[in-house]
Amino acid sequence: MPLLPRRALSFCLLFAVLLSGAGRAAAGVPPLDANGQPLPTLAPLLQQVTPGVVNIAVLAGGPEDSNPMLRDPFFRRFFGIPEGGRPQVSAGSGVIVDAQKGYVITNHHVIKNAREVVVTLKDRRQFQARLVGSDAGTDIALLQIEPSNLTALKFGDSDALNVGDFVLAIGNPFGIGQTVTSGIVSALGRFGINTDGYEDFIQTDASINPGNSGGALVSLRGELVGINTAIIGPAGGNVGIGFAVPSNMARSVVAQLARFGEVRRGRFGATAQDVTPDIARALGVAANEGAVLVDVARDAPAERAGLKRGDVITAVNGRGVKGSGDLRNQLGLVPVGDSAELRLLRDGKPLAVKVTIESPRAGQAASRQSVADLSGARVGNLVRDGRAEGVAVVEVDAGSPAWKHGLRPGDVIVGVNRRRVSSVQELAAALRGAERPLALNVARGDFTVSLVIRD
């Protein structure tokens, strides 16, 4: 065996033994082999953190809930649908992050369209959960249960992770019950998994399977460093490529969900691209990270803050900016009305400015109308310079179908399945003629996202 792998293996074994020794001291019961020698184990660590990871059962309305005709007993008998229907049940995972308030994080896609959510703790206690808020953009949702003798996981600093760090994935794969898998951080800053979302995924080879969604990615310090969210697999199973939302992003989202019930994203008013070595040389800066502004809109927050084309943004509120996607993520988590301190390079010289994020400018909605396929939302033609340019979402009832689809006040619907719509009439016609699932193309703040409608 080559010398380097042997040393690396010896180091890993030594590290594991040291870790187990610390754990045994905390637990008071050291695991020993037949010869009385200490055995490496993560059991003491898991005894501390696994009570903070929960199983989530979601009951969603059956197909008949959205079809009044199928509620009629005659049609139910005619089509062979059993009386009472059969609710759709799915399983996921969650993480207790505040024991005093009973807050539980999970994924948005786990609880989307939920009629009822039941949280089961490791000690088998069950609680009906209330949805505090949900954010489709980051796939994070916040639930609340009765704060009765709960164990919460402490947030870790996901920015401090390095490729190669050991991590544990804890969740409820396939609904079989709490399961722990181990691996390393395979990559950081992954994006392109959901091109319409706010992405900065941690990639790990710790086994993540269906049902792990919303569960915990934990460091060897026992800290929550990610929320397990997605997998890449040929048949929906684990192939050693899983993704988690970084804890720092999840913590920022949870703060807004607890405060507002939603993430209030606003307008920055500038577009950016990554700083490549060629761009850095052209701009006369030494940075190989950051985001260079390529356009600044007139009378936008960015312009009023004094930002210009060619400025290289290097940090937001003291946190480094890796690229244009990272800038988008960080500004997307600044609530409307709040200010962010931007550090930048201009002609190679460091500067700092403050920019206040403002509400998306939706122009004027000419009217308030309802669309049958977007129940709970009132929309109107977006008029700019006397011309209809889209459909402004004026109001959305919390908990309505439109709300659950992800629509929020201030959104501007500009297309259906990437087909342009400029008026309420065009939107209604496009929704009637489109097969499910379909995608609403929505302008939100400085960005465009797609909201999937499946029913």
Side-chain angles (χ1 to χ4, degrees), residues 256-279:
Q256 288 206 48
L257 294 180
R259 182 180 175 188
F260 306 118
E262 61 180 332
V263 176
R264 296 184 174 179
R265 294 188 175 90
R267 182 170 180 254
F268 173 55
T271 55
Q273 69 180 59
D274 295 345
V275 176
T276 65
D278 289 340
I279 291 176

Side-chain angles (χ1 to χ4, degrees), residues 213-282:
S213 293
L217 191 70
V218 178
S219 71
L220 293 187
R221 292 189 178 93
E223 296 175 336
L224 180 67
V225 293
I227 300 297
N228 300 324
T229 296
I231 60 175
I232 290 180
N238 172 67
V239 292
I241 301 178
F243 301 95
V245 176
S247 58
N248 288 350
M249 177 181 285
R251 180 163 42 186
S252 296
V253 171
V254 165
Q256 288 206 48
L257 294 180
R259 182 180 175 188
F260 306 118
E262 61 180 332
V263 176
R264 296 184 174 179
R265 294 188 175 90
R267 182 170 180 254
F268 173 55
T271 55
Q273 69 180 59
D274 295 345
V275 176
T276 65
D278 289 340
I279 291 176
R281 282 194 296 270

Side-chain angles (χ1 to χ4, degrees), residues 362 365 374 376-380 382 390-396 402 407-413 427 440 442:
L374 298 176
R378 264 76 64 193
V379 299
L382 172 63
V391 179
V393 179
V394 182
E395 297 174 340
V396 185
L407 279 178
R408 296 294 182 267
D411 287 347
V412 178
I413 302 171
L427 172 64
L440 284 183
V442 175

